[in-house]
Amino acid sequence: MCPKCVSHHVASILYGMPAFSEDLQRELDEGTMTLGGCDIDIYHPMPNYRCNDCGYKFRYVA
Ligand SMILES: [Zn+2]
């Protein structure tokens, strides 16, 4: 859930270069997964979710 706008339309952010597959493509199409690219900041905790409604990125650990 987005802490900013309380939307449930959030996508997991996948970092690095993923192996593309039909499953991954479907998740990207559905908006449950988004790509974070390779700019990994080792000094700060990386957000692992992005809100599809407001674009806010946040870190959530279940
Ligand atoms: Zn939001």
Side-chain angles (χ1 to χ4, degrees):
M1 188 178 81
C2 176
K4 199 173 182 182
C5 72
V6 204
S7 168
H8 286 269
H9 298 140
V10 295
S12 306
I13 302 175
L14 193 63
Y15 289 101
M17 291 292 281
F20 269 93
S21 65
E22 285 184 20
D23 282 348
L24 177 60
Q25 188 61 56
R26 196 191 62 240
E27 288 178 322
L28 292 172
D29 289 344
E30 288 172 348
T32 57
M33 186 77 80
T34 188
L35 299 180
C38 291
D39 295 329
I40 295 172
D41 184 345
I42 60 171
Y43 298 107
H44 299 97
M46 298 292 284
N48 57 355
Y49 281 92
R50 195 197 68 183
C51 177
N52 286 331
D53 287 337
C54 73
Y56 184 69
K57 291 179 182 176
F58 57 99
R59 184 163 184 83
Y60 176 75
V61 180

